Structure formats: structure tokens, C-alpha cells
Amino acid sequence: MKLRTKINAYGDIMYYIFWLILMFGKGLNLAGEEPLMQILTYAAIILVLFGAYTIRFTQRELRLCVFLVSVGGMVMLTAKKATILLTVLAICTAKRQNMREILKIGFWVRMPMFLVTVYLATHGMLANSLKYEWRAGVRLMRYGLGVGHPNVAHLTLFILVTMYIYLYYEKIGIKSVIAISAINFWLYRYTITRTGFILTLLLPLTVIFVKTKHPVFRLLKRAILWFFVHSYFLIGIGSLVLSIIYNNKHVRAVTDKYLGSRIACANDFLQKYPFSLFGHYIDGEGVPLDNAYIYTYVAFGSITFFLLIYGYTKLLKQYKSQNRIKEILILGFFAIYGFSENFITNVIMNYSLLFIIDMIFDRSGRKILTEDRTINYEAGAEKECNKEYRNWSVE
């Protein structure tokens, strides 16, 4: 028994090292990437496979994980990217992992790295790329703040805010909202990233609103919850349908007016690249495809696209039945962000993909891992269910 415990501990250590490699390196693009990043990518894959050897899978779990890894491998061969493969490996080998511990590592590694990077960039000690952009006839100067692109800088702040909310949900109050908003406004002066600014502003405000127990807001909170539960289906399928019928003059007029050029660009990619199960190599394109759902459909294939929407929707419905409000809010805001950025399938940026372990390994069954203990539902301990889920009910 002690030997088995030690072996499991080594497997868990390998997983955490794998996670740290993913955060420190960006070795997700195997085509044209730096040799060091490619080495880190393959090292991470080998490392987590060794860790998987220590995991006891049920037959159902094993079949599902083999299928997902196979899809990731096929996508890597066709799209020349390891993004999907690393993502499914991170999910399928996290059976014993505590999401809170993983998010703690992510938050306390990323936050100081981001703060130091921004400080050095704003004080001229690190490259601070300057990008010019015309909006409504006005020339804007946007700064990358040491991470290469203004959008990535603000996305990083958004990710840190979601991690903070996940870890300290019960402590979120007006002071937290004011502090986050101040940082958000300050960063926006440099990045001029509208999507990142708006969603980073709305997320903590939504948390405060949902935690409000006044019965007057009950109906609105239910409507918000319903939208977030179905957000990946609504936004994903909606993006695909709008992109397909974009050439209709009425659709074009509305989308160009309210959604900018994103649908027009998505339509161009759909016309250029035919239907594919496992995607295409599209990095040679000069125009970026910002919509994450269309990017997934084109670059990683229809199988990945539909698995993404199905998996998230099923998971969010599971969370609704468990009244896990903070997870629903975080996943819902990631879904909205995906309409304007293409990071949804990248587990390094979209860590919410790791929540799918709750569905693959059926953590909602007889035992549920909470923030401080494992509750055995067989023992009648359901009455002691995590107070966080009980207190923030919107039913």
C-alpha cells in the first residue's frame, strides 16, 4: 500500500511539472516554433504519459481518454499544432488532481510573472511593442506590455481575475471589485482592448450580483444562469451559422455594423478551407482569425469543434444541477471571450478546459472533491455539502 502511494505521488509530481512547463513555455505550435519550445512540448508529453501510468482508469474512462488522445494526435498531424493533444493529455491525466491546487499554481506563478513583465515593459527595460490601429477615423497607439500583443496582455489580466474569483469566491466584495476595476482601467490605457476590458469589468460585477439574495433579482439571475449554461452552444453554433450565411446582404449589413469584420473574416476562411474532420494548417495566413469557434472548426476540424461545444454544454448542465455557480460564471465568460479571441482550445490560456475532468471522471457521483475535504455521499453527508454551493443558490 505504501509503495502504491509513493508511485501515485510521483505521478502527481510529474503532472505538476507538466503544468509548469505548459505555463512557462509556449510550445504549442510545432511548425516554425523555436527548437527549445519544441523540446519542451515533447518533454511535457513524455512526462505526463509517465504520470498516466500511475493512474487507475475504469474501462469507460480509458476508452474515452484513448478516443480524445487519438483525436488530438490526428489534429497535430494535420494542423501541425500540438494544442489539442496537450489539452486532452492535461485533462485525461488529471484524475487525481485537485482543481484548487492546480489553479493556485497557475495564479501564484502567473501573477508575479505578469506584474514584473508589465513593470519592466512600462519602464523601458523590456520590449514594449507598439501597434497602430485606426478605429472610427482615430489613430490609436496600443502597447503589448512585454507579451507581444495588447490583446494577450489584457487576456492575461482576465485569466488572473477568473483564477482569483475561483480561489477566493466567498471573499469577493465591493473592495475587490473596485481594486480589479482600477487595474482594468489602468491596463486599458495601454492595450485599448475592448473585449478584455469589458469582460474583466463585468465578471466581478456579475459575481456580486449573483451573490445578492434579494428575491427581486431571482428571475434575472435565472436568465443569466440559463444563458451561461448554454453559452458555448449559442455562441459556437451561432458563429458558424452566421459565417456560413454571411453573403446574404441583410446578414452582412447587420454583422458588419455590430460585429465588425469578425464574421466577414470567418466567412473568408470557411470558403478557402473545405470541411475537414481534423483541420488544416492555416498559420501561413496573413489575416488572423479571431473568433475561437470558427478558428477551432477550420484549424482543428469539425470533430474538435463539436466535441468542444458538446463537452462544455454537458459540463455546465452538470454544474447547474450541483449549483456550482462560480464555475458556471467563469466558464460562461470564457465562452463570451472566445467570440473575439481564438484561445478557447488552448489549455494554457483557457484553463477552464481542465474542469472537464469533473465530467470524464464522474466527480459528481458518490464522492465529490471540495475545497477542503472529500464528502462521502454514501454516509449521508450531503447535508454538509460545501456551504459555498448552498449559499449562492439562485433557485
Side-chain angles (χ1 to χ4, degrees):
M1 188 67 178
K2 290 183 179 180
L3 178 61
R4 183 70 192 179
T5 301
K6 288 183 179 180
I7 293 175
N8 290 341
Y10 288 136
D12 293 344
I13 290 172
M14 289 180 181
Y15 186 86
Y16 288 127
I17 296 175
F18 164 78
W19 183 242
L20 286 171
I21 288 176
L22 294 190
M23 285 191 295
F24 278 109
K26 59 174 184 176
L28 292 174
N29 185 348
L30 298 182
E33 193 61 86
E34 301 170 15
L36 178 59
M37 295 300 101
Q38 293 189 29
I39 293 173
L40 284 175
T41 300
Y42 289 119
I45 292 174
I46 294 171
L47 192 67
V48 78
L49 288 176
F50 272 113
Y53 178 73
T54 68
I55 300 173
R56 291 181 177 178
F57 294 99
T58 65
Q59 289 188 357
R60 168 191 166 275
E61 294 167 354
L62 186 60
R63 287 196 299 268
L64 185 55
C65 289
V66 168
F67 168 71
L68 293 176
V69 171
S70 299
V71 171
M74 290 299 297
V75 170
M76 186 173 71
L77 292 175
T78 57
K80 309 301 181 185
K81 284 190 175 183
T83 304
I84 303 301
L85 180 60
L86 283 176
T87 295
V88 296
L89 284 176
I91 294 170
C92 292
T93 55
K95 181 175 181 177
R96 292 194 306 266
Q97 308 308 321
N98 186 328
M99 272 300 301
R100 185 173 178 81
E101 294 302 318
I102 295 174
L103 267 292
K104 271 187 177 180
I105 293 175
F107 182 74
W108 291 109
V109 169
R110 283 183 173 179
M111 183 183 65
M113 287 176 60
F114 180 65
L115 293 177
V116 170
T117 300
V118 170
Y119 177 83
L120 294 177
T122 53
H123 287 75
M125 292 178 280
L126 191 65
N128 190 8
S129 60
L130 175 61
K131 297 183 180 298
Y132 294 97
E133 184 174 316
W134 289 90
R135 290 183 185 173
V138 179
R139 190 191 192 197
L140 301 176
M141 293 188 299
R142 307 176 64 204
Y143 295 91
L145 297 175
V147 296
H149 197 285
N151 290 354
V152 178
H154 222 110
L155 172 60
T156 304
L157 175 64
F158 172 80
I159 292 169
L160 289 172
V161 171
T162 61
M163 287 181 170
Y164 176 78
I165 288 173
Y166 181 87
L167 294 171
Y168 306 106
Y169 184 80
E170 294 182 354
K171 298 179 181 178
I172 300 295
I174 299 300
K175 291 182 179 179
S176 301
V177 173
I178 293 174
I180 292 171
S181 299
I183 297 171
N184 190 31
F185 273 97
W186 179 84
L187 195 69
Y188 181 71
R189 292 172 56 235
Y190 290 94
T191 65
I192 319 294
T193 302
R194 291 170 296 189
T195 301
F197 170 75
I198 293 172
L199 294 183
T200 306
L201 181 66
L202 288 180
L203 176 55
L205 291 174
T206 305
V207 170
I208 293 295
F209 176 75
V210 169
K211 290 168 69 172
T212 303
K213 299 180 181 180
H214 199 288
V216 172
F217 303 117
R218 183 175 298 173
L219 185 61
L220 181 56
K221 286 193 284 188
R222 285 183 176 177
I224 292 173
L225 183 63
W226 182 91
F227 171 76
F228 283 140
V229 168
H230 299 88
S231 56
Y232 286 88
F233 176 83
L234 294 173
I235 300 174
I237 299 299
S239 296
L240 183 59
V241 171
L242 285 176
S243 301
I244 292 174
I245 65 174
Y246 172 77
N247 290 325
N248 179 284
K249 63 179 182 179
H250 300 293
V251 174
R252 183 186 306 164
V254 173
T255 56
D256 286 352
K257 181 178 180 180
Y258 295 104
L259 302 177
S261 61
R262 284 182 171 81
I263 299 300
C265 181
N267 176 263
D268 290 340
F269 272 82
L270 288 179
Q271 291 189 21
K272 183 173 182 178
Y273 294 96
F275 172 85
S276 172
L277 294 178
F278 300 106
H280 305 272
Y281 174 66
I282 65 172
D283 276 8
E285 296 289 340
V287 179
L289 179 53
D290 290 329
N291 186 294
Y293 303 96
I294 305 303
Y295 180 84
T296 300
Y297 184 83
V298 174
F300 302 136
S302 56
I303 292 179
T304 302
F305 173 80
F306 288 110
L307 280 175
L308 180 78
I309 291 176
Y310 172 79
Y312 265 124
T313 303
K314 184 175 180 180
L315 176 65
L316 282 162
K317 288 182 178 180
Q318 175 180 305
Y319 283 166
K320 183 178 183 298
S321 68
Q322 298 168 355
N323 204 30
R324 296 177 63 171
I325 305 302
K326 70 178 181 183
E327 285 90 345
I328 293 175
L329 294 180
I330 290 171
L331 267 64
F333 270 87
F334 269 115
I336 298 171
Y337 212 134
F339 184 82
S340 297
E341 297 292 341
N342 62 16
F343 67 96
I344 284 290
T345 52
N346 186 336
V347 74
I348 300 176
M349 305 302 288
N350 179 19
Y351 68 85
S352 73
L353 285 161
L354 292 178
F355 291 162
I356 294 176
I357 63 179
D358 288 339
M359 182 176 62
I360 291 180
F361 301 114
D362 196 19
R363 291 187 173 192
S364 62
R366 299 155 79 97
K367 293 186 178 182
I368 180 170
L369 188 64
T370 67
E371 295 184 355
D372 52 356
R373 65 193 184 281
T374 297
I375 298 176
N376 190 335
Y377 280 85
E378 280 187 330
E382 63 272 12
K383 296 180 181 179
E384 301 179 15
C385 190
N386 192 333
K387 64 179 181 179
E388 160 189 336
Y389 304 145
R390 183 173 66 245
N391 287 347
W392 306 141
S393 174
V394 298
E395 297 298 329

